[in-house]
Amino acid sequence: MSERIEELEDRTRFEPPEVEPQIIERWLASGLFHPEPDGEASENYSIAIPPPNVTGSLHMGHALNGSVQDTLIRYNRMRGLRTKWIFGTDHAGIATQAQVEKALLAEGINRHELGREAFVERVWEWRAHYGGTIVEQFKRLGASCDYSEERFTLDEGYARAVMQVFVNLYEKGWIYRDRYIVNWDPGSRSAISDLEVEERRETDTLYSIRYDVEGGGSVTIATVRPETMLGDTAVAVHPDDERYRSLVGREAILPLVGRHLQIIADDYVKMDFGTGQLKVTPAHDPNDFEIGTRHELDQVSVIGEDGRMTAEAGERFAGLTVMEAREAVVAELEREGRIVAREEYEHEVPYSHRSGQRIEPLISLQWFMNMDELARPAVAAVREGRVRILPESQRRVYLDWMENIRPWCISRQLWWGHRLPVYYCETCGHVNVALSAPDACGECGGHLRQEEDVLDTWFSSALWPFATLGWPRDTPELKAFYPTNVLSTARDILFLWVARMIMMGIELTGEVPFSDVYIHSVIQAPDGRRMSKSLGTGIDPLQEIDRHGADAVRFGLLAMSSAQDVRYSAEKIQQGQALANKLFNAVRFALLRIDASLGSERAQAIEPSPSPSTVEDRWILSRLTRALADTAARIEQYDFSHAALGLYDFVYGELCDWYLEIVKQRLPDLAEAGSEDDGRQELAATLLYVLRETVAMAHPLIPFVTEELWRYLDDTGKLLVGSAYPSARENLVDPRAEAELARTIEAVTLVRGWRDSVGARAGQFVAARLCADGYELTAPLLGRLARLRLLSEDEQSQALDAVDTSPANNGDALLTHGGEASAAPAVVASIPIPGGTVEVLSGEGLDLGAAERRREATKQKLLAEIERVQAKLERPGFVEKAPAAVVEGERERLRRLRTEMEVL
RNA sequence: GGACGCGUAGCUCAGUGGGAGAGCGCUCGCUUCACACGCGAGAGGUCGCAGGUUCGAAACCCGCCGCGUCCACCA
């Protein structure tokens, strides 16, 4: 026995921790993850990874998306395409800055003491220290990214691309600066975009407050935020509201402040809500801001960027937090008797997705990007199918959002990020926008000061598929790998990222950045809640890899994923682990046997016959061929759960449970029978062929165990990751062999069931006679697998002659007491199988009474079934209207059921 | 308020017009010479409810109930 195969003797289990690190090393050393840029993108295959946060760590979302992408990448690489998985990390402005700030705070330093330059320096150090973590974690998953060209959204080249885009779009007039009401996040002390705001349902108190009207009378307004009244600059009613027509044009007096407020008419006001009178606070409510713009109202900012009341709120309130101010304002209004009512009120409250703090809408000078012109071609691309969004339902979501797109606030009051290439002249105030810092103002030659703000992280992410390949330079990488083939992600960043990549890709490169968008499940905690660190519901994929192996985690995640959100299923991971171990043992078993019998090297040299002499060999080749076709089709259709589960079914349900069980009997015999060399070679050749194809087919899904097995299955020393993906050979499909084995499998199962019910011991061979058609080729298999000692042909024909086949005896119960046929053994039981029966000839040690009870149950089931099929066939219209094939099928079924019934 | 999705075995989920399935769990039996992370056999389901279309509905249509997600400027 060869030494290499001998190693397998003691490895009765697949142990991921022992092999995964070495395999990763071999893959990385092979250079196969890095394709030389060559050819056109249309003939190559590429995916740009959603760049993980540079200081982040691998979570379930990464693990699933990594498994999805790696499956596609490995599949296409094995198909022989030049394949690149573009890899890198995102600087993740707010998230990273917050992390570093927190660490500094622990040292007792805040960033302002440090200053901008030193702070940014610290973030780079932080990145150098923690930036490698997630990269190593992707490797552990087996992700075959091109690590040799890792990109970072703040790298020099990348930054040039970002600046270029800003300047281009500024010159087009789409990027502009404006004082506008924004979502202010007091947590990160920055404006954030609409998409980074999440609404939470909360119950607050809705206060009704009476404002006096100049010259007599009053209005009553309702608010959940009494503190903002300090910034009121008008009261509004609906223009059609008869009740208040006379109020319009008069003035109300703002309590506590004394400011005179115009009473205006505006369509926005709902007549049927509350009193139909609305306080207008342009500086702290997006709707009121719009009203204010329409009516040219003053904007009084009473809440500052620090989340505290400003001086404009008045001496009594300045410096208080918003919540403190609310209490104080209510108390004062109460004292003045102006609170008319308070009631519980449930509504949506905006929170920052980033910091978790309540959003404070306020007016701020920010940079915006008008999206109208960018959106139009991006809508068309999806409408026309140049970008496919899968599943289909997400297409509508995309289109709805894109068709109602609003300007994007792109400036952030942070230090970590791409600083805007905007230079204000300190002399004339002219705004200079340029790729690199000009020496002096273009207008007056005055001294320049660069904008403090940085760009929203997603601005740079939007350029990811092409900026990573060298854009705006015309590089071979860009030519070879852009546009990419598919973008895989979860739903949550469809607008935040995917939509913006499509817009920017079309605008800047003239091409869509990818042709498919695959939106995968969000994995929820087992209890259905969101997986999150703060809830404590997160499950660490690395721990799962440690416990079960990377293959198990990949398989499990793919198997549980679908078009909708799914709960994390530990069982599916377990199933993956079982599969890896099963496959490992199947190969181990076969190789040890083959090697012992004729040496695996020799066996490998044998070309498998496309039409082997045994029916089980023809059967497994046929089933394998179907599995190959199904698996490839499912991967190409992004149907990963069925690809994974289908693989499992083939390996367990066909390869191991049946084929190996059948041929395991043949292997030791062959080892001894030197004269039957042909049969031995043929079996070894088929077995090896099937195992090699199966292992190769499974590689994209479970790369580690398959790569490990390839060492033993392939003598060339070539890595499986760089080998060819097996293709389905149609000439191996053999429907007759499939039918024969299907029948035999059913028969074996039925006999086993019978054996179980009569308490036959596992190893006990029961004497029997096969009285059924369709087992000409498989009778010996049936005997071995069902542990029947079948009479030889001679004995059988003798016995058949001897059996009384008269109708009187046929319909009788199971016990056919011999007597009339003394030459043949008595039949003690009949087991119905497809095409006939197995006649049991010895009841020794069997509890035939138990079998009788079982038979009764089966009979009842059969009767019910027969009745149903009969009713169906007799139903008016069925025979006339149903397709002929269906009718015939039902008739055939009825015949079969009746035959079975007769046997019983 | 709008949109989308889901409700199938104890649990997690497949199944989209013609015999209710898988994994796990449960019961029974097996150290059957690859695997006890194994093997064999079983039990378990008014397919959320109510109508409709159809010869035929878990599947298609309508309504209701329950759950979830996304979008949205009613104080």
Side-chain angles (χ1 to χ4, degrees):
Chain A
M1 192 183 287
S2 72
E3 268 180 48
R4 194 168 47 117
I5 303 294
E6 208 171 348
E7 293 169 15
L8 283 171
E9 193 76 60
D10 299 327
R11 295 177 66 185
T12 59
R13 281 185 196 176
F14 175 60
E15 302 280 3
E18 288 173 14
V19 298
E20 286 178 359
Q22 303 163 31
I23 290 178
I24 292 170
E25 261 175 51
R26 288 166 61 212
W27 283 339
L28 292 173
S30 75
L32 286 164
F33 295 176
H34 170 74
E36 288 307 319
D38 199 5
E40 304 278 332
S42 56
E43 61 197 18
N44 298 335
Y45 191 88
S46 61
I47 296 178
I49 198 170
N53 289 1
V54 64
T55 62
S57 57
L58 198 78
H59 57 59
M60 269 313 160
H62 295 130
L64 170 59
N65 201 14
S67 304
V68 164
Q69 294 169 86
D70 194 49
T71 299
L72 291 169
I73 288 285
R74 283 179 189 269
Y75 170 74
N76 283 290
R77 189 188 290 123
M78 287 176 78
R79 280 177 65 221
L81 297 182
R82 186 178 301 276
T83 298
K84 184 180 176 85
W85 189 359
I86 301 163
F87 183 72
T89 54
D90 192 280
H91 69 280
I94 295 179
T96 308
Q97 173 158 337
Q99 251 184 31
V100 177
E101 276 191 75
K102 201 173 150 196
L104 284 174
L105 220 58
E107 298 173 34
I109 311 168
N110 84 41
R111 73 173 152 113
H112 297 280
E113 293 165 18
L114 210 56
R116 180 168 191 149
E117 214 166 303
F119 178 79
V120 169
E121 193 54 42
R122 288 293 287 262
V123 186
W124 279 104
E125 285 168 21
W126 183 270
R127 183 238 175 191
H129 197 249
Y130 295 102
T133 309
I134 192 134
V135 183
E136 293 313 307
Q137 292 173 331
F138 266 95
K139 289 177 184 167
R140 288 212 48 204
L141 185 68
S144 57
C145 310
D146 186 355
Y147 298 101
S148 68
E149 294 192 344
E150 185 184 331
R151 303 297 185 211
F152 181 51
T153 54
L154 268 182
D155 277 346
E156 216 183 314
Y158 202 103
R160 266 198 306 275
V162 172
M163 294 302 114
Q164 180 76 58
V165 172
F166 187 95
V167 172
N168 282 3
L169 299 182
Y170 176 80
E171 283 169 358
K172 282 195 138 175
W174 298 351
I175 290 178
Y176 57 94
R177 197 181 192 209
D178 197 7
R179 266 180 65 83
Y180 200 80
I181 190 145
V182 296
N183 305 298
W184 186 262
D185 173 11
S188 58
R189 294 256 183 129
S190 172
I192 60 176
S193 72
D194 296 340
L195 289 172
E196 290 164 305
V197 175
E198 64 181 43
E199 306 285 335
R200 298 188 194 162
R201 274 210 92 68
E202 279 190 359
T203 304
D204 275 320
T205 307
L206 181 68
Y207 297 90
S208 295
I209 305 168
R210 184 169 47 80
Y211 293 4
D212 290 333
V213 171
E214 181 79 17
S218 68
V219 292
T220 301
I221 56 87
T223 181
V224 288
R225 305 200 55 195
E227 70 280 8
T228 63
M229 67 162 283
L230 301 170
D232 285 3
T233 53
V235 167
V237 297
H238 195 278
D240 298 339
D241 199 331
E242 300 292 345
R243 296 171 295 177
Y244 308 129
R245 184 150 289 173
S246 62
L247 284 176
V248 176
R250 294 175 64 190
E251 290 187 334
I253 299 163
L254 186 61
L256 311 185
V257 178
R259 185 159 55 236
H260 284 222
L261 310 174
Q262 298 176 51
I263 299 178
I264 58 173
D266 194 285
D267 297 346
Y268 170 77
V269 184
K270 302 279 178 295
M271 286 189 276
D272 54 2
F273 189 92
T275 58
Q277 298 170 330
L278 175 71
K279 74 195 257 306
V280 182
T281 322
H284 298 292
D285 183 285
N287 301 311
D288 293 6
F289 180 85
E290 298 293 341
I291 297 173
T293 306
R294 284 197 286 275
H295 298 269
E296 295 181 348
L297 300 176
D298 288 341
Q299 299 166 342
V300 178
S301 295
V302 293
I303 300 167
E305 295 182 346
D306 54 0
R308 290 176 181 273
M309 305 307 285
T310 63
E312 286 203 77
E315 232 172 85
R316 283 169 295 178
F317 305 109
L320 297 182
T321 67
V322 167
M323 289 319 264
E324 288 164 353
R326 180 175 305 176
E327 276 180 41
V329 166
V330 168
E332 294 232 8
L333 290 171
E334 193 77 65
R335 225 176 349 261
E336 292 190 9
R338 295 196 172 274
I339 307 256
V340 178
R342 28 175 120 202
E343 54 182 302
E344 296 270 283
Y345 186 68
E346 201 183 320
H347 65 144
E348 305 278 334
V349 181
Y351 278 83
S352 164
H353 201 75
R354 297 281 152 221
S355 69
Q357 295 223 20
R358 188 168 172 156
I359 291 296
E360 209 51 75
L362 48 81
I363 292 170
S364 179
L365 187 56
Q366 301 284 345
W367 286 87
F368 293 87
M369 183 144 92
N370 187 315
M371 307 302 286
D372 297 344
E373 294 299 319
L374 284 163
R376 203 163 298 135
V379 166
V382 169
R383 274 196 192 291
E384 293 159 14
R386 281 179 286 128
V387 175
R388 291 198 304 161
I389 298 182
L390 306 160
E392 190 69 16
S393 61
Q394 295 300 314
R395 194 183 115 101
R396 276 273 306 277
V397 177
Y398 168 91
L399 290 173
D400 285 349
W401 186 76
M402 290 290 277
E403 283 161 1
N404 296 297
I405 200 158
R406 296 192 306 194
W408 172 17
C409 176
I410 54 173
S411 48
R412 296 287 179 278
Q413 288 65 57
L414 305 173
W415 286 349
W416 177 243
H418 296 278
R419 198 162 165 183
L420 273 65
V422 173
Y423 307 86
Y424 304 106
C425 177
E426 290 184 337
T427 312
C428 71
H430 179 69
V431 177
N432 299 263
V433 172
L435 275 179
S436 49
D439 294 333
C441 177
E443 287 291 307
C444 70
H447 190 253
L448 294 175
R449 182 177 46 80
Q450 187 176 1
E451 168 65 62
E452 295 289 327
D453 291 354
V454 300
L455 286 164
D456 181 2
T457 297
W458 297 105
F459 187 97
S460 55
S461 312
L463 320 180
W464 184 251
F466 46 95
T468 47
L469 295 172
W471 187 93
R473 287 174 300 124
D474 187 16
T475 63
E477 283 82 5
L478 205 56
K479 185 165 172 256
F481 301 116
Y482 185 88
T484 63
N485 290 73
V486 56
L487 189 281
S488 173
T489 181
R491 264 193 336 266
D492 50 356
I493 50 177
L494 181 62
F495 307 140
L496 221 44
W497 189 46
V498 180
R500 287 166 179 171
M501 275 191 289
I502 298 176
M503 291 188 276
M504 294 296 225
I506 295 174
E507 166 65 22
L508 297 158
T509 71
E511 290 187 87
V512 296
F514 28 72
S515 38
D516 285 355
V517 175
Y518 172 67
I519 310 241
H520 64 244
S521 299
V522 173
I523 309 274
Q524 301 169 331
D527 61 6
R529 287 189 294 169
R530 226 185 153 66
M531 264 201 196
S532 88
K533 266 187 204 153
S534 53
L535 286 173
T537 50
I539 295 174
D540 179 1
L542 289 159
Q543 257 181 34
E544 294 290 274
I545 290 174
D546 287 342
R547 272 200 274 268
H548 306 285
D551 290 328
V553 171
R554 294 169 59 119
F555 176 95
L557 290 173
L558 292 175
M560 69 183 94
S561 78
S562 74
Q564 56 180 342
D565 292 356
V566 288
R567 298 177 181 207
Y568 185 77
S569 159
E571 289 78 15
K572 285 283 191 295
I573 306 287
Q574 196 62 50
Q575 198 179 349
Q577 188 178 352
L579 175 64
N581 188 56
K582 191 76 174 177
L583 198 54
F584 182 83
N585 270 289
V587 172
R588 164 175 177 264
F589 166 67
L591 288 181
L592 286 171
R593 286 305 165 73
I594 290 170
D595 197 58
S597 97
L598 73 169
S600 62
E601 279 85 357
R602 239 182 91 200
Q604 274 195 35
I606 308 165
E607 186 65 24
S609 160
S611 181
S613 54
T614 66
V615 65
E616 64 266 28
D617 283 6
R618 291 197 296 277
W619 173 76
I620 195 65
L621 288 175
S622 186
R623 299 305 299 165
L624 169 73
T625 303
R626 294 188 193 277
L628 286 171
D630 287 348
T631 304
R634 286 163 175 164
I635 290 173
E636 285 176 20
Q637 290 158 17
Y638 307 109
D639 185 3
F640 301 102
S641 67
H642 289 105
L645 293 170
L647 173 69
Y648 179 93
D649 286 343
F650 174 72
V651 170
Y652 266 78
E654 294 180 331
L655 182 60
C656 292
D657 287 353
W658 296 103
Y659 185 66
L660 286 184
E661 287 304 319
I662 291 169
V663 302
K664 80 166 32 163
Q665 329 276 341
R666 281 163 64 196
L667 283 165
D669 296 350
L670 288 170
E672 288 160 23
S675 59
E676 289 180 59
D677 198 41
D678 285 350
R680 187 182 355 159
Q681 287 197 5
E682 185 181 280
L683 170 59
T686 307
L687 187 49
L688 270 177
Y689 174 77
V690 170
L691 289 173
R692 284 172 59 104
E693 298 274 289
T694 302
V695 163
M697 163 175 79
H699 181 75
L701 299 155
I702 44 174
F704 287 98
V705 69
T706 49
E707 189 68 81
E708 173 67 5
L709 289 172
W710 199 249
R711 280 176 53 208
Y712 301 99
L713 285 166
D714 186 90
D715 287 336
T716 64
K718 205 175 162 191
L719 287 169
L720 178 53
V721 67
S723 303
Y725 200 76
S727 54
R729 293 162 54 187
E730 284 306 317
N731 64 326
L732 294 182
V733 172
D734 186 338
R736 270 191 57 195
E738 292 197 5
E740 276 156 4
L741 261 290
R743 189 156 49 231
T744 305
I745 285 169
E746 196 182 339
V748 169
T749 305
L750 285 163
V751 175
R752 281 173 177 168
W754 177 86
R755 290 176 60 101
D756 208 55
S757 69
V758 299
R761 283 181 296 103
Q764 179 184 1
F765 273 77
V766 174
R769 187 167 59 214
L770 179 58
C771 302
D773 295 328
Y775 298 86
E776 291 72 23
L777 300 172
T778 58
L781 304 183
L782 173 59
R784 279 208 302 269
L785 295 170
R787 304 210 176 233
L788 298 172
R789 190 166 56 74
L790 292 174
L791 297 186
S792 73
E793 260 179 58
D794 285 350
E795 289 171 306
Q796 195 165 333
S797 59
Q798 258 182 28
L800 279 171
D801 290 343
V803 165
D804 183 353
T805 52
S806 72
N809 214 352
N810 240 354
D812 208 341
L814 83 159
L815 294 178
T816 314
H817 293 292
E820 66 276 18
S822 56
V827 173
V828 299
S830 287
I831 308 165
I833 60 170
T837 60
V838 167
E839 306 282 306
V840 180
L841 302 174
S842 161
E844 202 184 326
L846 303 181
D847 178 4
L848 296 172
E852 172 66 12
R853 287 191 290 282
R854 178 188 144 95
R855 256 163 49 91
E856 257 326 298
T858 313
K859 210 162 158 180
Q860 293 310 317
K861 268 190 203 163
L862 264 179
L863 271 176
E865 192 83 350
I866 287 172
E867 222 165 288
R868 252 194 2 192
V869 179
Q870 251 170 359
K872 191 170 186 175
L873 281 164
E874 284 161 16
R875 198 166 47 211
F878 176 70
V879 178
E880 294 83 61
K881 297 194 179 172
V886 172
V887 175
E888 194 37 52
E890 292 296 321
R891 284 190 172 135
E892 169 59 31
R893 202 170 134 224
L894 186 60
R895 275 194 293 275
R896 221 185 58 224
L897 290 168
R898 280 183 168 149
T899 311
E900 279 181 42
M901 196 64 196
E902 276 169 32
V903 169
L904 283 173

